[in-house]
Amino acid sequence: MASLGRHIIVEYYNCSPELLNDVVHIEKSMENAAEEAGATIINSTFHHFSPYGVSGVVVIQESHLAIHTWPEYGYASVDLFTCGDTVNPWVSYQMLKDSFQAGHGSAVELKRGEMALLKRKNFDVKAMRDEKSSEDGDPIRTRDVWFTERDDKIALSLKHDGKLYDVQSDYQRVEVYNTQAYGNMLTLDGMVMTTEKDEYVYHEMITHVPLLTHPDPKRVLIIGGGDGGTAREVLKHENLEEVVMVEIDDKVIEASKMHLPTIAQSLDHPKLNLIIDDGIKYVNDAADGSFDLVIVDSTDPVGPAEGLFTVDFYKEVHRILSADGLMITQSESPRFNSKVFKEIYQTYRGIFGQDNVHCYLAHIPTYPTGMWSFSYSSKGSANPMNLKPTEEVDAFVKANRLRYYNADLHKAAFALPNFVKEMIG
Ligand code: SAM
């Protein structure tokens, strides 16, 4: 390698002024141009100037691509900077020229950091990392990186010290980050699944609400839940005879056992029948009335979980529930995925009956908007307000040192804000 980096300085002329002022188009074009060239995108940030013009950068594993546009001249200046030999920045040059409908472009390539002129310094990060900072004794942070989960309008960013696990499984990208504010965090396909610091909210609410209102639960089925948090809470109910958990992706379980031990602690529990399989297939093959409670602890309706958000699947869940059976699902955020949220309740009411489907809310800081919902669908007499006697609930909460759930909060969670009531009618 004669030089540390390649820097292509690009000028695009006679471009479409509209495209050079379309920040969404420019960001997508720059990201596609990076990936097509073989780069791995880490993060990107773009700014739309007033009254016009865009500036932005895509940070890639192999350095960066940057752009500034002058729509009023149909002109854009671009820097394509790459390290190593795995990325061909000229692929990006041509893709962007087409994407901005440039009349013509010119480019010059510079070698940056000629090795002949460089001498390696004595720079040992590991030694630095082990050094304790004088002020607060915390380890010196040698990496300060932002993880960002975002859709086209909303984003959540968390600072982290690096990735502890990163595997592309047969179903999804499984990653674990060591975040500074929320401890270790599991993400699937770039979406936050659970963090050590706020997981108890989700896991206590998706489990104790149904298990402390069902008349006599004996057999529980968990669909998904690969991090193990739902199983951990379910298994705190000692009166249960069997808990079956069907998780499609063994890499999620591996990552959680390795890096989220407090969440995954019950995945080897003797009462847990852990099955690696597609939950849809398992439910289709299960016998009528064979479960008192089915908890669908799935990801969002994408990838392997898409089929878990279908009428057919819910009808099958209804079939395998016992007479007083309950189905509990994470039902997304009323604010973040309003369309899916509304559809979910319409569908459930079509299967379980208008008055047998209830919604309850919880505050999960690392989920989009922080407001998350759960659905409570009853096949028989079970009702969310038929909570066990308060002293019994209080004793359970105390004995298990629950950190979010309690009897008052249980009732409050079903008291919905007006805008949510309007959404689900
Ligand atoms: N609390 C998280 C949330 O609300 O987004 C979900 C956590 S849990 C990790 C979700 C699990 O569902 C993942 O491990 C994923 O692999 C699993 N999953 C997705 N589709 C599935 C399917 N068809 N059958 C079984 N498990 C599935």
Side-chain angles (χ1 to χ4, degrees), residues 223-366:
I223 301 293
D227 52 67
T230 296
R232 179 196 66 203
E233 295 305 310
V234 166
L235 288 157
K236 288 177 178 173
H237 295 262
E238 282 145 10
N239 57 336
L240 296 174
E241 287 166 6
E242 186 185 13
V243 180
V244 178
M245 176 175 150
V246 182
E247 164 58 54
I248 199 167
D249 193 339
D250 61 352
K251 293 297 176 220
V252 176
I253 291 174
E254 178 185 272
S256 304
K257 282 185 172 177
M258 288 167 70
H259 301 295
L260 301 154
T262 55
I263 304 178
Q265 61 181 267
S266 304
L267 286 175
D268 299 318
H269 191 287
K271 235 193 217 173
L272 182 67
N273 174 6
L274 176 54
I275 300 168
I276 303 299
D277 196 357
D278 184 342
I280 299 161
K281 183 174 156 307
Y282 182 89
V283 166
N284 292 348
D285 299 345
D288 295 6
S290 50
F291 289 97
D292 303 307
L293 171 62
V294 175
I295 298 176
V296 184
D297 176 8
S298 78
T299 41
D300 299 337
V302 290
E306 211 166 338
L308 299 175
F309 289 77
T310 61
V311 177
D312 294 349
F313 173 71
Y314 298 129
K315 280 186 175 160
E316 282 296 291
V317 171
H318 186 273
R319 176 185 62 77
I320 69 168
L321 283 173
S322 55
D324 278 333
L326 281 174
M327 176 181 80
I328 301 291
T329 70
Q330 69 88 359
S331 54
E332 304 291 326
S333 162
R335 271 258 176 263
F336 184 62
N337 356 51
S338 316
K339 184 171 168 299
V340 173
F341 176 76
K342 282 188 233 172
E343 281 165 9
I344 283 174
Y345 283 88
Q346 272 155 18
T347 305
Y348 294 177
R349 288 187 166 147
I351 297 168
F352 286 83
Q354 184 65 24
D355 303 331
N356 295 339
V357 177
H358 310 268
C359 170
Y360 59 107
L361 302 175
H363 310 289
I364 304 174
T366 56

Side-chain angles (χ1 to χ4, degrees), residues 1-7 81-84 109-119:
M1 182 168 67
S3 66
L4 293 174
R6 304 169 70 181
H7 186 179
F81 196 117
T82 61
C83 306
E109 174 164 348
L110 300 178
K111 297 272 175 272
R112 306 298 298 269
E114 299 270 0
M115 295 307 290
L117 305 172
L118 297 170
K119 193 168 167 308

